[in-house]
Amino acid sequence: MALTAEARGVSPWLPLSQAPEIERMIERVLILADKPVLTRPIAAATVFDALPAACERDADVCAEVRHYLRGFMKEVGIAHLSLAAGVASGEETPLQNRHGMGADSFYEMTGRVYWQPADHLLVTGGFTAYDGEILPTGSLLSVGFDFAQLDIGWRGHWLSPMTDSAMLLGTQAQAMPSITLSNYRPLTRFGIHYEMFYAEMSESDNIRFEGGFTTGKPKLAGLHLSIEPVPGWTIGANRLMQYGGGERGSDSPGDLFDALFRPSLYDNTGTVTDFGNQLASFTSRFLLRTPVPFAIYFEYAGEDTSTNNDLRLGNAALSAGIHFPRLGRNLVLTLEASEWQNGWYVHHIYRDGLRNEGNAIGHWGGDWRALDDGVGAMSLMARAGWQLRSGDSIEATYRTLKNEDYSATDYQRAHSVDVRYSRRWRREFLVGGELNVGRDVFGENYSRVSAFFRF
């Protein structure tokens, strides 16, 4: 199987923004094992390899994660299942990083089943469902090796070290059908990781072409490259290009290459003849093995280039975060902040913006504003988790966002609070409840209370 130490086959990807309790534990395991990550989803094999080092520092969380990974080590199995139902009131505000789900949805379901007949072949069936939508999130055909795994289907992509937002691409919108080539085993002593993908976005009838508009499905090409020069420190770069759609066509691979690597010449001219819409970011993550271990991470991103210089990012965005996997015996703490200038998630060619099925594909703040308003903003997030003596856990997240004042829209400061209580039941299951309340940038309130069952 792909999770054994000798394997050189494909690995299943762990759920992304679908199983928060285990995702927090996996984050702790990777920090304790000195394995910094800059992209998600995370390969199950990566976590499996990190367990020996993490177990020396936290046996309890190690046991929980090891038990969870057993669900991926069979030929056929159910890797994940979550069912939630509740009541909601107020505005249809898009919730943060929930694959397009709004606060008004009265149910939410996610699941993942798999079949791995051979080390180099894996078939995964996944889904996300909420009010009005049933999506094949996580449904994949995976073939290849640990140094080159090809995934075809609705694979998630998260191009950021941040845990609550991703300026380029995250889980605020629905997953897109894509073809992805990546590695989960670091290459060479410098720990090289790469990821390249080609995806198709949802249909838009608002794509500028010549003197009018055309209807079609824009393409999205992405590239990630990172290295780990010393243990515990990794640096990376990301590129994203939205292009084609309708009569604009797909253009040739050579045109795409020119636009990606010579943007000031072949793109970013501000006219309808531009190849497309592109973004880039530089990221870094440090793991510090102090008596109280923690991670600090940064993201510097840009929407197009500046001053006709291919290496200078325009409309800059800066994000930073710090994560303590354990303070004292029972507390987990994460603090993150992002600030970006104007021009994000809007474009003069793609008038619907950098969106998929109506939601911004990057930072959740892109949905908390008027459509086609490229206003700058600043967001803050604080998340704290408590492990009770009974083994139950409580996690509370506070977010606030302030759009800039120069917009024609009269925005207010937005606030949101999420509180989740989880309890282990019969070892195999989690049961609990979640509360989501807030006030959006238009001064409208929303609330949602739900109960969940996870396997």
Side-chain angles (χ1 to χ4, degrees), residues 36-203:
V37 294
L38 291 180
T39 65
R40 293 173 177 81
I42 297 169
T46 299
V47 182
F48 187 86
D49 293 341
L51 284 176
C55 289
E56 296 178 1
R57 309 191 69 184
D58 193 329
D60 292 338
V61 73
C62 178
E64 288 283 346
V65 172
R66 190 184 298 277
H67 178 78
Y68 176 76
L69 291 180
R70 287 175 186 156
F72 294 87
M73 298 175 67
K74 305 172 186 177
E75 181 178 333
V76 179
I78 300 175
H80 164 73
L81 180 63
S82 177
L83 311 173
V87 294
S89 64
E91 290 299 300
E92 302 176 8
T93 303
L95 293 178
Q96 296 90 346
N97 307 315
R98 299 288 276 268
H99 305 277
M101 189 180 83
D104 59 327
S105 181
F106 65 90
Y107 79 96
E108 180 183 18
M109 299 174 60
T110 62
R112 193 78 58 90
V113 297
Y114 68 91
W115 173 46
Q116 189 165 7
D119 286 349
H120 304 280
L121 175 63
L122 173 64
V123 180
T124 307
F127 72 92
T128 297
Y130 49 82
D131 193 16
E133 295 286 352
I134 301 178
L135 315 168
T137 309
S139 294
L140 293 173
L141 171 65
S142 303
V143 295
F145 306 85
D146 54 359
F147 61 87
Q149 177 168 324
L150 182 68
D151 300 303
I152 303 173
W154 285 261
R155 180 189 186 275
H157 298 89
W158 183 287
L159 301 181
S160 175
M162 311 295 290
T163 65
D164 190 63
S165 63
M167 290 304 300
L168 269 61
L169 183 59
T171 57
Q172 181 65 16
Q174 300 176 10
M176 294 168 271
S178 65
I179 300 174
T180 306
L181 182 67
S182 63
N183 68 313
Y184 65 83
R185 175 172 62 88
L187 304 179
T188 78
R189 65 186 183 88
F190 294 106
I192 297 174
H193 280 272
Y194 70 89
E195 179 180 326
M196 56 187 75
F197 65 87
Y198 168 88
E200 184 177 74
M201 306 183 73
S202 58
E203 185 173 271

Side-chain angles (χ1 to χ4, degrees), residues 86-367:
V87 294
S89 64
E91 290 299 300
E92 302 176 8
T93 303
L95 293 178
Q96 296 90 346
N97 307 315
R98 299 288 276 268
H99 305 277
M101 189 180 83
D104 59 327
S105 181
F106 65 90
Y107 79 96
E108 180 183 18
M109 299 174 60
T110 62
R112 193 78 58 90
V113 297
Y114 68 91
W115 173 46
Q116 189 165 7
D119 286 349
H120 304 280
L121 175 63
L122 173 64
V123 180
T124 307
F127 72 92
T128 297
Y130 49 82
D131 193 16
E133 295 286 352
I134 301 178
L135 315 168
T137 309
S139 294
L140 293 173
L141 171 65
S142 303
V143 295
F145 306 85
D146 54 359
F147 61 87
Q149 177 168 324
L150 182 68
D151 300 303
I152 303 173
W154 285 261
R155 180 189 186 275
H157 298 89
W158 183 287
L159 301 181
S160 175
M162 311 295 290
T163 65
D164 190 63
S165 63
M167 290 304 300
L168 269 61
L169 183 59
T171 57
Q172 181 65 16
Q174 300 176 10
M176 294 168 271
S178 65
I179 300 174
T180 306
L181 182 67
S182 63
N183 68 313
Y184 65 83
R185 175 172 62 88
L187 304 179
T188 78
R189 65 186 183 88
F190 294 106
I192 297 174
H193 280 272
Y194 70 89
E195 179 180 326
M196 56 187 75
F197 65 87
Y198 168 88
E200 184 177 74
M201 306 183 73
S202 58
E203 185 173 271
S204 169
D205 58 3
N206 208 8
I207 304 171
R208 289 184 62 191
F209 177 71
E210 295 182 346
F213 291 86
T214 182
T215 298
K217 295 183 177 181
K219 308 304 184 289
L220 190 71
L223 177 65
H224 165 81
L225 183 65
S226 62
I227 63 172
E228 189 176 352
V230 296
W233 175 41
T234 184
I235 54 177
N238 303 286
R239 293 298 301 275
L240 205 63
M241 172 69 79
Q242 179 188 24
Y243 68 101
E247 294 182 82
R248 294 189 66 87
S250 298
D251 295 291
S252 69
D255 292 336
L256 175 60
F257 183 89
D258 288 338
L260 279 172
F261 296 101
R262 295 295 306 279
S264 61
L265 181 62
Y266 294 95
D267 199 44
N268 298 348
T269 65
T271 69
V272 74
T273 60
D274 282 352
F275 182 82
N277 176 25
Q278 63 178 297
L279 304 88
S281 68
F282 298 101
T283 58
S284 186
R285 188 176 180 94
F286 304 83
L287 303 182
L288 289 90
R289 296 196 65 175
T290 57
V292 179
F294 65 97
I296 56 175
Y297 38 96
F298 306 91
E299 177 181 29
Y300 175 61
E303 213 286 346
D304 290 330
T305 57
S306 176
T307 64
N308 291 323
N309 187 324
D310 291 341
L311 299 179
R312 293 191 62 178
L313 302 183
N315 302 321
L318 180 62
S319 302
I322 184 168
H323 175 72
F324 295 93
R326 174 159 291 182
L327 288 174
R329 290 180 54 87
N330 303 312
L331 178 64
V332 179
L333 180 64
T334 306
L335 303 172
E336 296 182 359
S338 297
E339 184 174 16
W340 59 96
Q341 297 175 333
N342 63 308
W344 280 85
Y345 313 123
V346 297
H347 198 254
H348 62 282
I349 293 176
Y350 299 96
R351 304 300 298 175
D352 288 334
L354 201 62
R355 296 174 178 272
N356 189 58
E357 298 292 351
N359 295 101
I361 67 172
H363 195 295
W364 53 265
D367 280 345

